[in-house]
Amino acid sequence: MDLATVSEELAEIEGQIADIFRALSNGFQKLEKIKDVNRQSRQLEELTDKMRECKRLIKEFDREVKGTESRTDANTHKMLNEKKQSMIKELNSYVALKKQHQSNLENNKRVDLFDGPSEGYGEENVLLASSMTNQQLMDRGHQMMDDTDQAIDRAKKVVQDTVDVGTETAAALKAQTEQMSRIVNELDSIHFSIQKASKLVKEIGRQVATDKCIMALLFLIVIGVIAIIIVKLVNPNNKDIRDIPGLAPPAMNRRLLWTTPNEIVRMDHQMIWQNYLPSQ
């Protein structure tokens, strides 16, 4: 499947990764033909830089795949993940090959370190000890001792560099361990805060539910009062419904607007009589 149909960025990144893989393959083939230790070291550094670049591109490829997940179907997404895994696998094979060459290179350096001082003295070794004077033998011995001391100094330097690297690595691991501990503590604090917030939300929910019940009860009371007022207004002579304190019967007041004086006097007598009867 052509990645250009999915995303141009993915196709471009895949092309760059393929170019780096070809360069790595050619570089390791060339490395096997190089005999000089220094040239091998420089070649390994160049190949290491290419592998770092390849790793960066694979990470970028993975980000693009995740970005296109919502726009592609399941089969296409699966194919892109398999493509990424194959790239990672191929890169890991080159990393293992690089480690192998690096180990061989370090072994060769150790051999050169201890065997180096003897180079260049082949012709001198042809001379027989019997043909050399005492002074020449002493000079030769001093020279060999000096060369041996230099080789020991170089070995000590290599050991010291190794110890320094180990110390720095241990310090870095310690710092990372402390950072992980701080992260774990922060996560515990966040988890505790989330639990506390959940309890607070539940309490607020219960209070809101209680407030709603109170509001509903008040609403029913207001509706009942309004219903009583309406019934009293419609049927003011209904004795089954008691008057609401502070609310005078409005029907009588409205009737007074169109009654005659005689009717007013009669209604007053009726009201007095009605008020008088309960006291009897």
Side-chain angles (χ1 to χ4, degrees):
M1 181 178 180
D2 188 7
L3 293 182
T5 59
V6 180
S7 173
E8 294 182 358
E9 289 80 2
L10 289 176
E12 183 178 356
I13 295 172
E14 183 192 22
Q16 294 177 359
I17 293 174
D19 294 338
I20 292 177
F21 282 154
R22 283 193 294 269
L24 289 173
S25 178
N26 296 330
F28 279 109
Q29 291 177 2
K30 182 180 178 181
L31 182 63
E32 293 177 354
K33 300 178 181 179
I34 298 175
K35 301 301 181 181
D36 184 64
V37 176
N38 294 327
R39 291 181 59 191
Q40 287 181 353
S41 179
R42 288 193 297 269
Q43 183 70 12
L44 273 179
E45 291 178 358
E46 293 177 0
L47 294 175
T48 302
D49 293 337
K50 291 183 182 297
M51 284 186 281
R52 291 196 188 99
E53 178 66 16
C54 184
K55 182 178 180 181
R56 184 188 66 80
L57 290 174
I58 291 176
K59 289 183 178 180
E60 187 175 352
F61 184 88
D62 183 47
R63 286 194 295 269
E64 290 293 333
V65 169
K66 292 180 180 178
T68 59
E69 183 177 2
S70 59
R71 304 192 303 270
T72 57
D73 54 12
N75 293 330
T76 303
H77 187 67
K78 181 179 179 182
M79 182 273 295
L80 293 175
N81 284 327
E82 291 177 353
K83 186 69 175 176
K84 181 191 71 174
Q85 293 298 329
S86 65
M87 292 177 182
I88 294 174
K89 185 177 180 180
E90 187 172 358
L91 178 60
N92 288 335
S93 65
Y94 285 118
V95 171
L97 190 60
K98 177 250 181 182
K99 290 181 179 179
Q100 181 180 358
H101 283 282
Q102 185 72 31
S103 178
N104 295 334
L105 182 61
E106 291 177 356
N107 292 333
N108 293 334
K109 284 184 176 180
R110 292 192 187 98
V111 173
D112 293 341
L113 179 66
F114 292 103
D115 295 342
S118 62
E119 295 179 357
Y121 299 103
E123 295 181 356
E124 296 180 5
N125 291 333
V126 177
L127 297 176
L128 296 176
S130 59
S131 62
M132 298 174 64
T133 63
N134 292 334
Q135 185 63 35
Q136 289 177 341
L137 288 172
M138 292 178 63
D139 294 339
R140 173 69 174 174
H142 288 305
Q143 185 177 2
M144 292 181 66
M145 291 176 62
D146 293 339
D147 293 339
T148 303
D149 291 338
Q150 292 176 3
I152 293 173
D153 291 338
R154 288 195 295 269
K156 288 181 179 179
K157 184 177 180 181
V158 172
V159 172
Q160 185 62 38
D161 292 340
T162 305
V163 172
D164 294 339
V165 171
T167 303
E168 293 176 358
T169 304
L173 289 175
K174 183 179 179 181
Q176 291 179 358
T177 303
E178 293 176 353
Q179 185 178 4
M180 290 297 295
S181 299
R182 290 194 297 270
I183 291 173
V184 171
N185 293 332
E186 291 176 359
L187 288 176
D188 292 338
S189 300
I190 292 171
H191 181 66
F192 176 76
S193 299
I194 291 174
Q195 289 182 342
K196 189 174 180 180
S198 300
K199 292 181 180 179
L200 182 60
V201 169
K202 291 179 181 178
E203 291 292 336
I204 294 173
R206 285 195 289 268
Q207 292 179 2
V208 170
T210 305
D211 293 341
K212 287 183 178 179
C213 293
I214 295 173
M215 292 298 293
L217 182 60
L218 292 176
F219 178 75
L220 292 176
I221 294 173
V222 172
I223 293 298
V225 173
I226 293 173
I228 294 172
I229 294 172
I230 293 174
V231 172
K232 291 294 291 183
L233 292 176
V234 173
N235 190 3
N237 296 323
N238 191 349
K239 300 302 181 180
D240 296 333
I241 303 175
R242 299 181 61 184
D243 293 336
I244 300 174
L247 180 62
M252 184 65 69
N253 294 335
R254 288 198 303 269
R255 189 177 177 184
L256 293 175
L257 296 176
W258 61 77
T259 54
T260 62
N262 293 329
E263 292 176 346
I264 294 173
V265 172
R266 187 169 58 255
M267 286 188 294
D268 289 339
H269 285 292
Q270 290 177 355
M271 293 178 61
I272 293 171
W273 181 252
Q274 290 174 359
N275 292 330
Y276 177 73
L277 286 177
S279 63
Q280 298 295 329

